[in-house]
Amino acid sequence: IVLTPIEEGYTVYVPDFGIITQGSTLVEGMKMARDAIQLTGINLVNEKKRIPEAITLSKVVLAEGGYISSCRY
């Protein structure tokens, strides 16, 4: 995910799914992204669509002040 601080908190971009969300705090932004990823995954499975392959981090363009958080579970 790509996290960018904004005046009202953080914008969170999930490039693999084309998701953009935000939160008033970093934790809230990450929770919003987690929820959006889960819902997107459920919708893709229900629609019998493929879950996209992860993109290469070098292809992600960061806004000024933005940074990447990469987690594996």
Side-chain angles (χ1 to χ4, degrees), residues 15-28:
D16 294 334
F17 292 107
I19 295 169
I20 300 173
T21 189
Q22 68 180 38
S24 57
T25 65
L26 180 60
V27 171
E28 184 180 289

Side-chain angles (χ1 to χ4, degrees), residues 55-68:
I55 65 167
T56 305
L57 292 180
S58 63
K59 294 183 179 182
V60 176
V61 178
L62 298 177
E64 186 175 330
Y67 57 94
I68 296 173

